[in-house]
Amino acid sequence: MSLQQSVFRGFANPVDPAPDELRAWAFQPGSVPLESMPKDWDLLVSGDRLIGTLFDLAMDRSCPARRFALHCLYIYAADGIRTNFKAHPRRRLRKLVEQAQELGDEMMLTWAHNTLVLMAKPQLFDYHNWCEGGLVRSGQRLS
């Protein structure tokens, strides 16, 4: 059964969804609209436990919730960098950036580029861009 054919049956715990639940939802996001999720759900799911799943979804051009997953990658990157990698391991973020550079399309290459720019210049952090979806919507490449 492919990911797209998985039937989303809801989250056992929306505040802490399982990777398979998040994956099933991502291919049927209209079944539980983001507006009905807990406040700041994007911030809640953008942690180490789900980052691999979110990365896979952001890399999948056929995923209806791809932009949401990309938004979560921006949150994850910013959170790691802003906390000097106390929130998330530097090595994990670097591995994701390398994978995006090797296999990603333009959206993922832009995320990887912006993440490396923020690593080099943390003062460029802007909450709206990194945590409220500004860079996802604009597609802007930082310099």
Side-chain angles (χ1 to χ4, degrees):
M1 180 184 285
S2 76
L3 295 177
Q4 291 85 343
Q5 294 171 335
S6 297
V7 176
F8 178 65
R9 302 189 193 291
F11 295 108
N13 178 1
V15 174
D16 188 22
D20 60 327
E21 291 175 333
L22 184 63
R23 195 173 287 113
W25 169 83
F27 284 96
Q28 299 174 350
S31 60
V32 180
L34 282 174
E35 301 77 43
S36 68
M37 298 308 292
K39 182 176 175 12
D40 296 330
W41 191 61
D42 53 349
L43 301 176
L44 294 171
V45 300
S46 298
D48 289 320
R49 184 169 174 273
L50 294 172
I51 199 60
T53 302
L54 289 163
F55 182 83
D56 291 345
L57 295 170
M59 289 286 284
D60 187 339
R61 294 177 183 131
S62 71
C63 179
R66 183 179 190 211
R67 289 173 62 85
F68 173 78
L70 179 62
H71 165 62
C72 291
L73 290 179
Y74 272 104
I75 292 170
Y76 182 85
D79 197 28
I81 295 165
R82 288 178 46 237
T83 63
N84 199 25
F85 298 98
K86 290 177 180 71
H88 309 297
R90 178 188 308 262
R91 188 174 64 200
R92 179 175 289 150
L93 182 58
R94 282 207 177 272
K95 184 178 176 189
L96 294 173
V97 166
E98 288 169 8
Q99 284 181 280
Q101 288 174 318
E102 285 176 30
L103 305 169
D105 64 0
E106 192 59 35
M107 277 177 45
M108 293 302 292
L109 290 171
T110 298
W111 171 78
H113 168 84
N114 289 344
T115 298
L116 291 173
V117 169
L118 190 64
M119 288 174 91
K121 303 176 190 173
Q123 69 276 14
L124 293 181
F125 173 76
D126 174 83
Y127 189 85
H128 170 75
N129 280 339
W130 287 84
C131 299
E132 293 181 341
L135 289 171
V136 174
R137 284 188 295 280
S138 73
Q140 174 188 359
R141 286 177 68 90
L142 301 174
S143 53

mmCIF file of all heavy atoms in Angstrom, residues 86-110:
data_model
loop_
_atom_site.group_PDB
_atom_site.id
_atom_site.type_symbol
_atom_site.label_atom_id
_atom_site.label_comp_id
_atom_site.label_asym_id
_atom_site.label_seq_id
_atom_site.Cartn_x
_atom_site.Cartn_y
_atom_site.Cartn_z
ATOM 1 N N LYS A 86 21.105 23.486 20.988
ATOM 2 C CA LYS A 86 20.659 22.845 22.226
ATOM 3 C C LYS A 86 19.297 22.181 22.012
ATOM 4 O O LYS A 86 18.998 21.168 22.615
ATOM 5 C CB LYS A 86 20.598 23.862 23.362
ATOM 6 C CG LYS A 86 21.971 24.322 23.819
ATOM 7 C CD LYS A 86 21.860 25.384 24.894
ATOM 8 C CE LYS A 86 23.197 25.866 25.363
ATOM 9 N NZ LYS A 86 23.921 26.678 24.388
ATOM 10 N N ALA A 87 18.472 22.749 21.122
ATOM 11 C CA ALA A 87 17.137 22.199 20.859
ATOM 12 C C ALA A 87 17.194 20.994 19.919
ATOM 13 O O ALA A 87 16.432 20.046 20.087
ATOM 14 C CB ALA A 87 16.227 23.275 20.267
ATOM 15 N N HIS A 88 18.074 21.041 18.944
ATOM 16 C CA HIS A 88 18.180 19.970 17.951
ATOM 17 C C HIS A 88 19.646 19.780 17.577
ATOM 18 O O HIS A 88 20.394 20.756 17.509
ATOM 19 C CB HIS A 88 17.385 20.310 16.685
ATOM 20 C CG HIS A 88 15.985 20.732 16.955
ATOM 21 N ND1 HIS A 88 15.059 19.903 17.543
ATOM 22 C CD2 HIS A 88 15.348 21.902 16.724
ATOM 23 C CE1 HIS A 88 13.910 20.551 17.659
ATOM 24 N NE2 HIS A 88 14.060 21.757 17.186
ATOM 25 N N PRO A 89 20.048 18.556 17.298
ATOM 26 C CA PRO A 89 21.462 18.298 16.985
ATOM 27 C C PRO A 89 21.906 18.913 15.656
ATOM 28 O O PRO A 89 21.225 18.786 14.647
ATOM 29 C CB PRO A 89 21.535 16.764 16.898
ATOM 30 C CG PRO A 89 20.260 16.243 17.448
ATOM 31 C CD PRO A 89 19.252 17.338 17.361
ATOM 32 N N ARG A 90 23.033 19.572 15.700
ATOM 33 C CA ARG A 90 23.624 20.170 14.501
ATOM 34 C C ARG A 90 23.826 19.107 13.418
ATOM 35 O O ARG A 90 23.551 19.335 12.248
ATOM 36 C CB ARG A 90 24.964 20.826 14.839
ATOM 37 C CG ARG A 90 25.672 21.444 13.642
ATOM 38 C CD ARG A 90 27.078 21.923 13.978
ATOM 39 N NE ARG A 90 27.140 22.781 15.126
ATOM 40 C CZ ARG A 90 27.190 24.109 15.083
ATOM 41 N NH1 ARG A 90 27.199 24.729 13.924
ATOM 42 N NH2 ARG A 90 27.259 24.822 16.179
ATOM 43 N N ARG A 91 24.300 17.948 13.811
ATOM 44 C CA ARG A 91 24.592 16.878 12.858
ATOM 45 C C ARG A 91 23.326 16.460 12.091
ATOM 46 O O ARG A 91 23.368 16.235 10.890
ATOM 47 C CB ARG A 91 25.202 15.685 13.587
ATOM 48 C CG ARG A 91 25.720 14.614 12.661
ATOM 49 C CD ARG A 91 26.430 13.540 13.422
ATOM 50 N NE ARG A 91 25.468 12.880 14.309
ATOM 51 C CZ ARG A 91 25.791 12.173 15.371
ATOM 52 N NH1 ARG A 91 27.037 12.032 15.710
ATOM 53 N NH2 ARG A 91 24.871 11.604 16.110
ATOM 54 N N ARG A 92 22.207 16.364 12.781
ATOM 55 C CA ARG A 92 20.956 15.976 12.120
ATOM 56 C C ARG A 92 20.541 17.041 11.103
ATOM 57 O O ARG A 92 20.152 16.722 9.981
ATOM 58 C CB ARG A 92 19.853 15.758 13.134
ATOM 59 C CG ARG A 92 18.526 15.367 12.455
ATOM 60 C CD ARG A 92 17.451 15.021 13.438
ATOM 61 N NE ARG A 92 17.792 13.745 14.053
ATOM 62 C CZ ARG A 92 17.443 13.412 15.285
ATOM 63 N NH1 ARG A 92 16.753 14.231 16.027
ATOM 64 N NH2 ARG A 92 17.768 12.249 15.783
ATOM 65 N N LEU A 93 20.634 18.317 11.495
ATOM 66 C CA LEU A 93 20.259 19.392 10.580
ATOM 67 C C LEU A 93 21.184 19.400 9.360
ATOM 68 O O LEU A 93 20.724 19.525 8.230
ATOM 69 C CB LEU A 93 20.275 20.748 11.284
ATOM 70 C CG LEU A 93 19.853 21.938 10.426
ATOM 71 C CD1 LEU A 93 18.437 21.750 9.867
ATOM 72 C CD2 LEU A 93 19.941 23.232 11.243
ATOM 73 N N ARG A 94 22.474 19.234 9.586
ATOM 74 C CA ARG A 94 23.426 19.208 8.463
ATOM 75 C C ARG A 94 23.123 18.048 7.503
ATOM 76 O O ARG A 94 23.200 18.201 6.293
ATOM 77 C CB ARG A 94 24.861 19.092 8.972
ATOM 78 C CG ARG A 94 25.395 20.399 9.483
ATOM 79 C CD ARG A 94 26.921 20.403 9.340
ATOM 80 N NE ARG A 94 27.459 21.672 9.763
ATOM 81 C CZ ARG A 94 27.601 22.719 8.963
ATOM 82 N NH1 ARG A 94 27.241 22.656 7.715
ATOM 83 N NH2 ARG A 94 28.120 23.839 9.419
ATOM 84 N N LYS A 95 22.759 16.896 8.053
ATOM 85 C CA LYS A 95 22.429 15.742 7.220
ATOM 86 C C LYS A 95 21.200 16.042 6.359
ATOM 87 O O LYS A 95 21.172 15.707 5.172
ATOM 88 C CB LYS A 95 22.183 14.515 8.097
ATOM 89 C CG LYS A 95 21.920 13.258 7.315
ATOM 90 C CD LYS A 95 21.736 12.070 8.234
ATOM 91 C CE LYS A 95 21.367 10.848 7.424
ATOM 92 N NZ LYS A 95 20.975 9.724 8.236
ATOM 93 N N LEU A 96 20.188 16.682 6.945
ATOM 94 C CA LEU A 96 18.993 17.041 6.182
ATOM 95 C C LEU A 96 19.335 18.039 5.078
ATOM 96 O O LEU A 96 18.863 17.910 3.943
ATOM 97 C CB LEU A 96 17.921 17.620 7.106
ATOM 98 C CG LEU A 96 17.327 16.648 8.136
ATOM 99 C CD1 LEU A 96 16.413 17.398 9.094
ATOM 100 C CD2 LEU A 96 16.601 15.493 7.464
ATOM 101 N N VAL A 97 20.167 19.015 5.400
ATOM 102 C CA VAL A 97 20.589 20.009 4.403
ATOM 103 C C VAL A 97 21.320 19.316 3.256
ATOM 104 O O VAL A 97 21.058 19.590 2.080
ATOM 105 C CB VAL A 97 21.458 21.111 5.052
ATOM 106 C CG1 VAL A 97 22.168 21.945 3.998
ATOM 107 C CG2 VAL A 97 20.603 21.999 5.951
ATOM 108 N N GLU A 98 22.222 18.403 3.588
ATOM 109 C CA GLU A 98 22.973 17.687 2.545
ATOM 110 C C GLU A 98 22.044 16.865 1.662
ATOM 111 O O GLU A 98 22.196 16.840 0.435
ATOM 112 C CB GLU A 98 24.032 16.787 3.186
ATOM 113 C CG GLU A 98 25.191 17.565 3.765
ATOM 114 C CD GLU A 98 26.099 16.710 4.631
ATOM 115 O OE1 GLU A 98 25.935 15.463 4.680
ATOM 116 O OE2 GLU A 98 26.988 17.294 5.289
ATOM 117 N N GLN A 99 21.065 16.188 2.258
ATOM 118 C CA GLN A 99 20.106 15.401 1.475
ATOM 119 C C GLN A 99 19.292 16.313 0.554
ATOM 120 O O GLN A 99 19.050 15.958 -0.598
ATOM 121 C CB GLN A 99 19.158 14.634 2.400
ATOM 122 C CG GLN A 99 19.777 13.432 3.046
ATOM 123 C CD GLN A 99 18.751 12.733 3.920
ATOM 124 O OE1 GLN A 99 18.499 13.152 5.044
ATOM 125 N NE2 GLN A 99 18.159 11.682 3.403
ATOM 126 N N ALA A 100 18.879 17.453 1.061
ATOM 127 C CA ALA A 100 18.109 18.402 0.247
ATOM 128 C C ALA A 100 18.961 18.907 -0.916
ATOM 129 O O ALA A 100 18.469 19.054 -2.033
ATOM 130 C CB ALA A 100 17.611 19.569 1.102
ATOM 131 N N GLN A 101 20.244 19.171 -0.657
ATOM 132 C CA GLN A 101 21.137 19.651 -1.708
ATOM 133 C C GLN A 101 21.357 18.585 -2.781
ATOM 134 O O GLN A 101 21.468 18.895 -3.958
ATOM 135 C CB GLN A 101 22.480 20.075 -1.114
ATOM 136 C CG GLN A 101 22.408 21.351 -0.313
ATOM 137 C CD GLN A 101 23.719 21.664 0.379
ATOM 138 O OE1 GLN A 101 24.379 20.783 0.925
ATOM 139 N NE2 GLN A 101 24.096 22.935 0.363
ATOM 140 N N GLU A 102 21.419 17.342 -2.368
ATOM 141 C CA GLU A 102 21.682 16.247 -3.312
ATOM 142 C C GLU A 102 20.451 15.864 -4.119
ATOM 143 O O GLU A 102 20.551 15.597 -5.317
ATOM 144 C CB GLU A 102 22.156 14.994 -2.557
ATOM 145 C CG GLU A 102 23.570 15.071 -2.054
ATOM 146 C CD GLU A 102 23.937 13.830 -1.244
ATOM 147 O OE1 GLU A 102 23.397 12.732 -1.524
ATOM 148 O OE2 GLU A 102 24.750 13.971 -0.317
ATOM 149 N N LEU A 103 19.286 15.804 -3.467
ATOM 150 C CA LEU A 103 18.113 15.196 -4.089
ATOM 151 C C LEU A 103 16.921 16.132 -4.246
ATOM 152 O O LEU A 103 15.919 15.752 -4.848
ATOM 153 C CB LEU A 103 17.662 13.981 -3.255
ATOM 154 C CG LEU A 103 18.728 12.923 -2.999
ATOM 155 C CD1 LEU A 103 18.252 11.919 -1.966
ATOM 156 C CD2 LEU A 103 19.109 12.227 -4.296
ATOM 157 N N GLY A 104 17.016 17.334 -3.704
ATOM 158 C CA GLY A 104 15.856 18.211 -3.664
ATOM 159 C C GLY A 104 15.605 18.997 -4.927
ATOM 160 O O GLY A 104 16.504 19.189 -5.750
ATOM 161 N N ASP A 105 14.382 19.445 -5.059
ATOM 162 C CA ASP A 105 14.022 20.348 -6.147
ATOM 163 C C ASP A 105 14.275 21.785 -5.686
ATOM 164 O O ASP A 105 14.894 22.013 -4.634
ATOM 165 C CB ASP A 105 12.566 20.126 -6.579
ATOM 166 C CG ASP A 105 11.564 20.459 -5.486
ATOM 167 O OD1 ASP A 105 11.963 20.867 -4.365
ATOM 168 O OD2 ASP A 105 10.359 20.310 -5.742
ATOM 169 N N GLU A 106 13.796 22.744 -6.439
ATOM 170 C CA GLU A 106 14.088 24.157 -6.140
ATOM 171 C C GLU A 106 13.625 24.569 -4.735
ATOM 172 O O GLU A 106 14.344 25.273 -4.033
ATOM 173 C CB GLU A 106 13.457 25.058 -7.207
ATOM 174 C CG GLU A 106 13.953 26.485 -7.143
ATOM 175 C CD GLU A 106 15.465 26.641 -7.305
ATOM 176 O OE1 GLU A 106 16.082 25.881 -8.070
ATOM 177 O OE2 GLU A 106 16.040 27.534 -6.649
ATOM 178 N N MET A 107 12.430 24.117 -4.319
ATOM 179 C CA MET A 107 11.941 24.467 -2.970
ATOM 180 C C MET A 107 12.891 23.966 -1.889
ATOM 181 O O MET A 107 13.210 24.684 -0.945
ATOM 182 C CB MET A 107 10.544 23.860 -2.728
ATOM 183 C CG MET A 107 9.415 24.679 -3.279
ATOM 184 S SD MET A 107 7.758 23.906 -3.069
ATOM 185 C CE MET A 107 7.761 23.335 -1.390
ATOM 186 N N MET A 108 13.343 22.733 -2.039
ATOM 187 C CA MET A 108 14.217 22.151 -1.028
ATOM 188 C C MET A 108 15.630 22.729 -1.104
ATOM 189 O O MET A 108 16.288 22.888 -0.072
ATOM 190 C CB MET A 108 14.234 20.620 -1.168
ATOM 191 C CG MET A 108 12.899 19.980 -0.826
ATOM 192 S SD MET A 108 12.308 20.352 0.848
ATOM 193 C CE MET A 108 13.508 19.486 1.841
ATOM 194 N N LEU A 109 16.085 23.037 -2.314
ATOM 195 C CA LEU A 109 17.390 23.690 -2.449
ATOM 196 C C LEU A 109 17.366 25.069 -1.793
ATOM 197 O O LEU A 109 18.345 25.481 -1.158
ATOM 198 C CB LEU A 109 17.779 23.799 -3.917
ATOM 199 C CG LEU A 109 18.132 22.481 -4.609
ATOM 200 C CD1 LEU A 109 18.296 22.688 -6.107
ATOM 201 C CD2 LEU A 109 19.385 21.871 -4.001
ATOM 202 N N THR A 110 16.255 25.768 -1.916
ATOM 203 C CA THR A 110 16.123 27.084 -1.278
ATOM 204 C C THR A 110 16.133 26.934 0.238
ATOM 205 O O THR A 110 16.801 27.704 0.941
ATOM 206 C CB THR A 110 14.838 27.791 -1.762
ATOM 207 O OG1 THR A 110 14.940 27.987 -3.178
ATOM 208 C CG2 THR A 110 14.644 29.134 -1.077
#
